[in-house]
Amino acid sequence: MKKILLSLAVLATGAAAQAQEGTYGFNQGDILLEGSIQSSSVKNTVTVEGVEAISKENTTLFNPKAGYFISDKFVLGVELGVGSTKVTEQFGNSEVEEKGNAFYAGVFGRYYFLDLGQRFKTYTELGMGMENSKFTDEVGTISKYSGFNAGLGLGINYFVTPKIAINFGLSDVLSFSTSKDKQTDATASQFDANINVFNNFFSTATFGLTFKL
């Protein structure tokens, strides 16, 4: 009888371990690795005294993150951002082009507050950090900026496997940024409240992969 009970205990322990390994979601002590890409293209056209003025802006951002779960729902981590942008302004037959790149380093806190079924995990995230950027026009003039950014956003993880999820990150619901021109010392600040974020999800979302270790 003791051997039978011992065998059942071993089997129960093994089954529990397998169930834990196959669980969708996170647990305290897990490590999160994530990489997201955001790409946007904006075109504005106005007519001034019968002449058409066109402004185009193409931006790409890569955002890797790493975090540690201090509880089953809350993760703290660090993040980087590497971006590039190209702005083209055309007025009649005249065209001006400007290119820029930026680097961001910061910290974030993420809280998973709602499960939509077994595989969908929704979260809210607060991030903040420092940014440096440089812009160069077609004649070689260089402008450099530094600043501070903070944002509060929403997102969803969809678990394809117990260890891998697709990440859908919405644009910041609230955001604040400051920027300083390194040549002139001029500063500018901006605060945004994107209360209609759900109406323009696919134009502002970031898409990426999340790994659980």
Side-chain angles (χ1 to χ4, degrees), residues 2-20:
K2 290 183 178 180
K3 290 183 178 180
I4 294 175
L5 292 175
L6 180 60
S7 299
L8 290 174
V10 171
L11 290 174
T13 302
Q18 290 180 356
Q20 180 68 23

Side-chain angles (χ1 to χ4, degrees), residues 34-186:
E34 189 171 273
S36 298
I37 295 177
Q38 182 180 28
S39 182
S40 64
S41 181
V42 179
K43 178 180 179 181
N44 294 312
T45 303
V46 297
T47 302
V48 181
E49 296 181 353
V51 180
E52 191 174 62
I54 302 174
S55 176
K56 300 178 183 178
E57 182 175 349
N58 297 303
T59 302
T60 302
L61 173 66
F62 175 59
N63 182 210
K65 299 181 179 181
Y68 178 80
F69 277 84
I70 62 175
S71 72
D72 292 349
K73 299 289 186 180
F74 190 65
V75 57
L76 290 174
V78 295
E79 62 178 323
L80 299 175
V82 181
S84 63
T85 185
K86 178 181 177 181
V87 179
T88 303
E89 296 182 348
Q90 182 178 351
F91 185 74
N93 295 324
S94 176
E95 183 175 287
V96 177
E97 183 178 279
E98 185 178 60
K99 296 181 179 180
N101 55 70
F103 177 79
Y104 171 86
V107 297
F108 72 93
R110 179 184 295 183
Y111 178 71
Y112 286 85
F113 63 92
L114 179 64
D115 293 346
L116 302 175
Q118 188 180 21
R119 294 174 183 259
F120 284 96
K121 314 295 179 180
T122 60
Y123 63 83
T124 181
E125 180 175 305
L126 174 65
M128 62 185 68
M130 305 300 296
E131 178 180 336
N132 282 283
S133 58
K134 181 175 71 173
F135 294 87
T136 306
D137 61 23
E138 57 187 8
V139 297
T141 302
I142 298 176
S143 301
K144 296 181 179 181
Y145 301 88
S146 62
F148 170 82
N149 295 330
L152 176 66
L154 297 171
I156 300 172
N157 287 152
Y158 173 74
F159 278 84
V160 181
T161 73
K163 297 289 187 180
I164 302 175
I166 300 173
N167 182 59
F168 303 91
L170 281 69
S171 65
D172 289 330
V173 178
L174 297 174
S175 63
F176 172 78
S177 64
T178 64
S179 179
K180 177 181 178 180
D181 189 320
K182 292 184 177 181
Q183 280 73 39
T184 65
D185 287 335

